[in-house]
Every structure is written in structure tokens, then in C-alpha cells.
Amino acid sequence: MSALAVNLAVSACAALAVVLVAFAFGVVLGRHRGVDIAWGLGFAAVAVTTYLLSAGDGDPVRRAVVTALTVVWGLRLAAHIAWRGWGHGEDRRYERLLARAPGNRHIYALGVVYLLQGALIWFISLPVQVAQYSSDPADAWLAVGVVVWLVGFGFETVGDAQLLRFTRDPANAGQVLDTGLWRYTRHPNYFGDACVWWGLYLLAATSGWAGAATILSPLLMTWFLAAKTGKPLLEASLLQRRPGYADYVDRTSGFIPLPPRSP
């Protein structure tokens, strides 16, 4: 069995371990919103695990860069979600989901939330795992990947900070954030998240056919953010709860940052 094949099996165990720990906390606390914190931590765990397993196989610079970028992104996201949810009860999404549980709510959550999320962490992180085993020295594609990652990380971090500051001001209750990055895209954090994973993909893309084949991972992440569980679900909720959101939708790009449209 090749070193990469062993890595893929062990990294799957690392992702599983993170979501199972989160599940244990969810059962003890009686709420499962903590699984969102485990999302970023799971990617960080997979990156570190792969870095350790690939010692002596891949290019040291590429290994260090892809690990650092993934860990920084994952820890930042986990910390942001933990801070944003501090003191709050169960997330609305999980309340609605668990209300449909045919039996034990915790067992239902384990299957449809935690284990599914563990599998997604493993699959979406394939570019990170494959890049660790690339023996090609650092090249221009690595620099391009880092630049794309930096753009994405900037959009995600600044967008999250602007939204958190806006929502924590009582004067903004019921209002729509349409300044800063939110003037140019309705979801700067989701756009940034997608860019992060396209940047990480570029770090793997030159690793032969295996690296190029991991393009399904950023495609899946982008699809979830822009067309499945991210943007559509959030906007359906905001259109019901915020009267001015429809006007905001009419004048603001849905994903890719663009100048606002004239009324």
C-alpha cells in the first residue's frame, strides 16, 4: 500500500475523531451547534496528520505551506464560530432538522450531521492531502495558490468581522448590512471560503493526475456555499425576517464581488 493510501485512511480517522468528540459534547450539552466549530478543527486535524505522515515524501516547502494555510483557516473559522455562538442556544437549522428525527435525536444527529460532516471534511481536504506528497519543488503555481488563498482569507475574515460588529449593535436590529465588503457581494464570507479552497487546490494541481483530480473538492465546497446549504438557505431565512433584504438582493451580487447595481 502506498504512503498516500495510508495517509488517506489515517486522515479519515482524524476527521472522524474530531466529529465524534464534537458529538460527545453535543450530547452532554444537549445542543449540536458545536458541530460547526468542529468543521474548521477537522480540516486543521487532517492537515497536521497528513503533514506528519508525509515526512520524507513530499517537498518540505509545499508541505509546510499547505499545512500552515489550512490550519490558519480552520482555527480562525472555529474560533469565529465559537465566539459568535457563545451564550446562545441551539442553532435554528439543527432545531428544524432534529425535529424530524424518527427516534433518538442524538443518534439521528450522529448520522445525518456528524458522520456526514466528517466524510465531507475528508473529501474536501483531498487537495491538502495530495499536495503533501508532491515532490515537485515550490513553483509559480504555489505562489498563485497562496495569492488566491490570501484573497479568500481576507474576504472571509473581514466579512465575518463586519457582520459580527453589525449584528451586535442593537441599533441595527432588523436592518441589512450593505456597507464594506457587503456592498459588493451578499456573501463575502462564502466567496472568501470558496477562494481559500481554490487556492489550496492550486497547491496540489501540479502533483500529477492525482493532484489535478482533486478539483472535485473545491467544486463541491463552492457548490455547497453558493447553491446548496450556504447561500440559498440563509437567504430564504433572511427574506422572511428582514423586510429590506429583497431590495438588497436586487442591487447586490449574490456571490462574486461586483459593483452594486443601480436601483
Side-chain angles (χ1 to χ4, degrees), residues 178 180 182-185 248 250-253 257-263:
D178 59 358
W182 299 83
R183 171 177 167 81
Y184 304 100
T185 167
Y248 177 62
D250 288 340
R251 66 177 184 271
T252 310
S253 172
L258 293 171
R261 296 181 286 270
S262 300

Side-chain angles (χ1 to χ4, degrees), residues 63-88:
R63 289 172 56 239
V65 169
V66 74
T67 302
L69 297 184
T70 308
V71 170
V72 167
W73 172 81
L75 294 182
R76 201 281 322 173
L77 181 61
H80 169 73
I81 291 174
W83 176 252
R84 185 185 64 188
W86 185 263
H88 294 277

Side-chain angles (χ1 to χ4, degrees), residues 30 46 70 75 86 88 91-92 97 120 153:
V46 168
T70 308
L75 294 182
W86 185 263
H88 294 277
D91 188 284
R92 292 191 198 95
L97 178 66
L120 288 172
F153 189 74

Side-chain angles (χ1 to χ4, degrees), residues 18-19 22-23 33-43 78 114 117 121:
V18 171
V19 297
F23 172 69
R33 69 181 305 145
V35 69
D36 293 338
I37 300 172
W39 179 249
L41 296 179
F43 285 105
Y114 290 90
Q117 183 156 296
I121 289 171

Side-chain angles (χ1 to χ4, degrees), residues 7-61:
N7 173 97
L8 293 174
V10 176
S11 64
C13 294
L16 179 62
V18 171
V19 297
L20 288 180
V21 170
F23 172 69
F25 274 99
V27 172
V28 171
L29 297 175
R31 57 181 182 272
H32 293 286
R33 69 181 305 145
V35 69
D36 293 338
I37 300 172
W39 179 249
L41 296 179
F43 285 105
V46 168
V48 171
T49 299
T50 306
Y51 178 78
L52 296 174
L53 291 172
S54 63
D57 286 304
D59 175 67
V61 173

Side-chain angles (χ1 to χ4, degrees), residues 89-100 105:
E90 185 63 281
D91 188 284
R92 292 191 198 95
R93 296 169 298 158
Y94 299 128
E95 284 181 347
R96 291 193 295 267
L97 178 66
L98 297 178
R100 302 197 298 266
R105 290 163 59 94

Side-chain angles (χ1 to χ4, degrees), residues 102-134:
N104 185 286
R105 290 163 59 94
H106 296 310
I107 299 301
Y108 184 72
L110 175 63
V112 301
V113 178
Y114 290 90
L115 295 182
L116 175 60
Q117 183 156 296
L120 288 172
I121 289 171
W122 178 84
F123 184 81
I124 292 171
S125 67
L126 285 176
V128 174
Q129 300 180 60
V130 172
Q132 304 272 19
Y133 287 86
S134 173

